[in-house]
Amino acid sequence: MNTPLSPAEELALIDGELARLDARRAHLAARRDWLLRLPPIPWPSAPPPPSLPVKDASGRGAQNVLLTLGAVLLSVAALAFTLVSWGSLGIAGRAAVLAVVTVGALVAPLPLLRRGLRSTAESVAALGLLLTVLDAYAVHAVGMSTVDGTAYAAGAAGVLAALWAGYGFASPGLRLPLPVAVAAAQLPLPLAALASAADPVGLGWALLATAALDVVAAMTVPRARAAWPAGAVLGAAALGVGLVESAATPGASAPALLLAAGAALGVAVAWRVPRASAAALAGGLAAVVAVAGPLSPRWDTGWAVPTHLAPALALTLPAAVGAASVPAAVRRGLARAGLGVTAAAALWALASVVPSLAARLRVLGEVWATTTPEVDRPATGAAVAVTLLVTAGAAAAAARLLPARPEPGVLAVVLGWAGLFAAPVLLGFPVAAVLAAQLSVTVAAGALALRPRPGGSGVGIAAAGCALLGAGSVAVGALDGRLATVLVLGALTAAGAAGAAYRPGPGWARSGAAVLAVGWATALAVALCALSDLAVVWWAPPVLAVAAAVVAFGPRWGAVRVPAEAASIAPGVLALALAAPDRPALALALALAGVVCATAAVRADRRRLGWAAWALFVAATWVRLSASGVAWPEAYTLPVTVPALVVGFMRRRRDPAASSWTAYAPGLVATLLPTLIAAWGDPHWQRPLLLGLASLALTLLGARQRLQAPLLLGGATLAAVALHELAPYVVQVVGALPRWLPPALAGLLLLAVGATYERRLRDARRLRAAFGRLG
């Protein structure tokens, strides 16, 4: 650095300044130490800094608002001048004003861009583009008023689109001209078609051609991204026109050509753009209708659906075989188009089948009537059947090509079953042929469900569901005739039994077949009884024969014995319900049910059914005594009780570990319960007295010998007899008491129990332990 002082003078000056700074630092440090040694004093807090005004609008936002407002005001002024003040100028004045203002508005953005004022340039450019529109309107109003407005608009839109595109290329710094040019380019061809009074197909061609130009522009011009959505909208509109015209005029070739061109455009876009599978999807749908449209008959015949189904299935081939030469986007789009049409055809066919099969339920209103209710068959029955079978075949082929996916196999089973099951009805076959065919299809579905599969069971579950639904439908349809009912129910029973006995089959399928076999056998027994002259109450023994057969052949059922025996409960309950209105028939049914349970209890793993057999035998005895009008049941129960008690006593001597319930409960209950029931309805005092004495003795004996069964049964009977004898007096006493006294007594009882709750629990545990030590 250069200074006017010599080095020695400058060094002395610096040393002096440093000395003064050191002295000032020492003074401030000493002052700080003194302040820290002072006692704490509440010093006033420093005042907050003054708040600055908040700026709720950025500079760029304010600039945009001002520029937009200015452009809008200028546009309004230009409109007012053109529409209102135009007539006050001559021809030369009009041309000069329009030319000067338009050229100025279009040229002004260029120097603004060079100075970096991009937003201002965009606003002025927008004004210039609007002025060109006003120029076009002014030209038509002054010099070309005789030209058709729509035709002139088409030409003006084309010219403006070209001018705006050229202006955008000439000024690459402006973003607005090219998108506006793309928007204007959508109008010339459609407006020209409207001006020439073209038919809908002609309008569709105009829309499609415009969409094609949009695609070319979007692919070749990097800044023309706005052409993609415009082309998608116009292309979809063109395809919509083609689809509507093809559906309205089957067999016409003009819509087919339009759709074929649209299909080619969609596939071409998907071929060039990897993510444009939606374009291939639209092209695939258009291709299906383009191929099937000229060959399609009228829609009311139903054959239009299979006609469209064939090319739809062909579209899925590139995706199915995985052609490497076809881009992935094209494969996905075409496959989705084909699958969509196939799914729509399958849904249409299924919707047509359901009413025909549901009409079979009318048979339930007139079972075994002399007339057969008519089945509503659609006029498109054959086409529906063909559609179902074709879609089922396609799903089966897809299942083979895609073995890891269970969905195609499930669809193949469902659609194939629906087609084969409904075809006889849809084609108007005789009733016998319909039942035979549907029964065969049902059995085939059941066999498919029983087929062992190393992989998933989705196909098996679908087949089982179809078999179950088909069996129910066939059974309902067979109710129209007696012989048909017997034959169909017999065949279903045999098929279920065969499925249960098919050991290689899956366990769940065999169990279901066993349950269904028992159910169909029960229905068969009811049908055979209805064919006979037996009264309904005497249908119980044949129905019980089904349960007896299940028990008799139980060991042969193997792994499905448990579900089969569980299902046999249903015919047993049904038999008792049928015999319930008649007491002699009910007694016989109870006895037979007891025999069935006793037979099952012979096996070591079914010993507990002995209790059910005993209860059924006792109930049969009581019902039989009641039906015979016996006034003294003890004459019939005591001869059973005494030997039963002797047998129990002998068993306890041989096996001291045997429970008193097993040894003595059956014999005691055989007499105590019927006598107690008779005592409750006996107006005399002898039976209650004798029963009370016997139960008292039994209770004391059980307490002395420490046996649970005599103690509890005797005590319960004694309490019931006492309650029976005291009931009239209790009613009288309660009626004489004030109404407030029972709630008060109940409240006092609750308070007492709550106060000694813990001690009561301890006493209850001791009582339970003592009772558990009894025999």
Side-chain angles (χ1 to χ4, degrees), residues 48 52 56 109 183 194 242 252 305 323 330 335 416 464 498 542 620 624 676 707 728 730 762 775:
L52 300 176
D56 54 0
L194 293 177
V305 176
V330 177
R624 181 67 261 182
L676 181 61
L707 300 175
V730 172
R762 186 169 59 252

Side-chain angles (χ1 to χ4, degrees), residues 203-571:
L203 178 60
W205 277 110
L207 295 173
L208 187 62
T210 305
L213 294 176
D214 290 332
V215 170
V216 173
M219 288 184 176
T220 56
V221 181
R223 290 193 296 157
R225 300 296 181 183
W228 282 121
V233 171
L234 292 187
L239 295 181
V241 171
L243 292 175
V244 171
E245 290 299 311
S246 179
T249 57
S253 58
L257 294 176
L258 174 62
L259 291 171
L265 178 61
V267 172
V269 171
W271 203 287
R272 295 289 301 274
V273 182
R275 297 183 180 180
S277 59
L281 171 62
L285 295 175
V288 169
V289 182
V291 173
L295 306 175
S296 175
R298 298 193 316 272
W299 285 92
D300 54 357
T301 63
W303 288 103
V305 176
T307 304
H308 288 74
L309 183 59
L313 294 176
L315 277 183
T316 60
L317 184 60
V321 300
S325 59
V326 180
V330 177
R331 292 201 305 269
R332 287 195 302 268
L334 294 181
R336 290 170 182 172
L339 292 177
V341 175
T342 304
L347 290 176
W348 169 81
L350 290 175
S352 302
V353 166
V354 171
S356 299
L357 296 181
R360 177 172 280 173
L361 297 177
R362 299 174 186 172
V363 177
L364 297 177
E366 44 181 19
V367 176
W368 292 352
T370 57
T371 59
T372 300
E374 295 183 359
V375 178
D376 296 334
R377 292 190 298 270
T380 60
V384 170
V386 170
T387 301
L388 287 173
L389 295 177
V390 170
T391 52
R400 287 185 174 275
L401 293 172
L402 303 172
R405 301 291 298 273
E407 296 86 357
V410 172
L411 289 176
V413 170
V414 173
L415 294 174
W417 171 84
L420 295 175
F421 192 85
V425 178
L426 298 175
L427 298 178
F429 285 11
V431 177
V434 169
L435 293 178
Q438 292 182 339
L439 188 61
S440 301
V441 174
T442 300
V443 172
L448 182 61
L450 290 167
R451 182 180 177 183
R453 288 176 179 82
S457 59
V459 173
I461 294 175
C466 293
L468 180 61
L469 183 60
S473 180
V474 172
V476 172
L479 293 177
D480 187 46
R482 292 172 171 81
L483 181 59
T485 300
V486 174
L487 293 177
V488 168
L489 292 179
L492 291 176
T493 303
Y502 185 66
R503 296 186 182 277
W508 62 268
R510 292 183 60 202
S511 300
V515 172
L516 291 176
V518 175
W520 294 125
T522 304
L524 178 61
V526 172
L528 292 175
C529 292
L531 288 174
S532 64
D533 295 331
L534 290 175
V536 175
V537 294
W538 295 108
W539 293 6
V543 173
L544 272 173
V546 177
V550 174
V551 172
F553 294 98
R556 299 184 181 181
W557 288 92
V560 298
R561 183 181 64 178
V562 174
E565 291 181 348
S568 66
I569 298 175

Side-chain angles (χ1 to χ4, degrees), residues 31 35 78 161 370 381 433 519 704:
R31 182 69 178 175
L35 291 174
T370 57
R704 181 179 178 82

Side-chain angles (χ1 to χ4, degrees), residues 565-587:
E565 291 181 348
S568 66
I569 298 175
V573 174
L574 177 61
L576 297 181
L578 292 173
D582 186 74
R583 284 183 290 179
L586 179 60

Side-chain angles (χ1 to χ4, degrees), residues 130-149:
L130 176 62
L131 288 175
T132 58
V133 177
L134 297 180
D135 291 341
Y137 167 75
V139 170
H140 180 265
V142 175
M144 304 181 67
S145 58
T146 58
V147 179
D148 178 68

Side-chain angles (χ1 to χ4, degrees), residues 657-668:
S659 173
S660 62
W661 291 99
T662 304
Y664 302 122
L668 293 175

